Amino acid sequence: MSYIQTFVISLAICAFASRVSASPQCANPPQHFDAQLPLQSQQCVDTKDELRLSQDVQSFQHPLWSHKPTCAQRKGQEYCTYTTSELRGGHALSIIATSVAADAIAAAFLALEKDGQSNDSGLEVRSFPGKGKGLVTTKAIKKGERILLDSAHIIASSHFPTQVTRSQGKALFSAAIDQLPQADRALVLGLDQSLGGSKVEDIMKTNAFACQLADGDADDAYMCLFPSVARINHACQPNAHARFVPKTMSMEIKAQRDIAAGEEIGISYGRIDLKHADRQTLYQEGWNFGCTCPLCTASEYERTGSDQRRARFAQLRKMLENLTAETYDAQQIVAWEKEVMEIGQREGLETMLAQDYERLAYVYAGHGMVKDARRWAKMAKESLLEWVVVDGGPDNQIRRVEGLLRELDG
């Protein structure tokens, strides 16, 4: 079946959504390490099945790690802190994970060439009233240019806090930081805190990003701490875009528009298409701050206009993603997509438009308008490579677009 035929049958590009299942309430609620971590799911812990810390793991023999792991064990489930004192570019890394996951992650690192990663040259940390410290560029940056590629210094399973006691969780996190070389440790401990708890807890809760890794089928979710990226403040209409690179376990920051010398770098901590009230709730509950970016401090008239455009953006997206054979109308789709793109450009949502370019490519291809179809397919591919697809990450959409281009060129 051709790519064009597939579209005609489905009429819309599939949208993928993750589902989080609720856990049953515990008869004996555990005394968890109380980090409010992303993607965390609660699990019951039997009070008679206490975890134990061990500093001596005799069977540990791995070429990457420079320290014996510190482990917390519960029956067949064990989480350990593994540290290597030198990785690519001279950075160190500590991982809190199961042994299976740690071995898989380490194997991925060992398979990579030790190519130097871009540093933070041309960037300065400065203080901003009401926002703390932020990252500023000292040189002009063009749209699409890489600003920073930052290595993770701490990677921690987001599930392990539900499997250990508070003291054990603190011990694993403390080992993750204490075993880093002095320079890397200073970078981590110098990061901002905002949510309370111990210093280590607060640093992780305030600064870590949720990330997915190839972890040997452990099927875990992780928190990744990137010290340089953590210095970048939030903006609801950001001038930069962050994307995680699974293969190198690094975070890439790219300019979303031209950035002038002396301008602060800003990324979005959440979805960039949210309305004002939703954004304020998200950042207050998740990071304990009220956003004071230019969009959020604009006049009520400007904020209302932005909210109306974003609501329309969401409405159009929903209609386009729920097309059926009965509701399919090529002219209507083109008109809706034109409106989506106009709103996207005005609201700074261009990084989200790859699927819209692809949808238009299929519409034009289905009506034999090959030149227009090829133009939109190329735009979809360029957008995916620019903002979405990364080395080691999911590539289904880019392969689908490339298949369409081959068919159009044939």
Side-chain angles (χ1 to χ4, degrees), residues 204-262:
M204 289 298 295
K205 289 188 289 185
T206 301
N207 299 283
F209 289 77
C211 53
Q212 295 287 339
L213 305 175
D215 60 1
D217 295 326
D219 195 25
D220 217 338
Y222 294 86
M223 303 164 286
C224 295
L225 183 66
F226 307 93
S228 294
V229 173
R231 289 296 188 192
I232 302 177
N233 284 319
H234 165 78
C236 293
Q237 285 184 327
N239 56 17
H241 177 72
R243 61 178 182 177
F244 178 62
V245 185
K247 185 174 182 179
T248 58
M249 283 169 254
S250 55
M251 185 70 79
E252 181 185 47
I253 307 298
K254 298 183 73 174
Q256 192 167 318
R257 60 168 174 78
D258 290 348
I259 304 174

Side-chain angles (χ1 to χ4, degrees), residues 271 273-284 307:
R271 282 175 43 196
D273 59 338
L274 296 177
K275 294 187 291 185
H276 178 259
D278 296 329
R279 298 195 304 268
Q280 292 294 336
T281 299
L282 172 65
Y283 302 127
Q284 189 64 55
D307 281 352

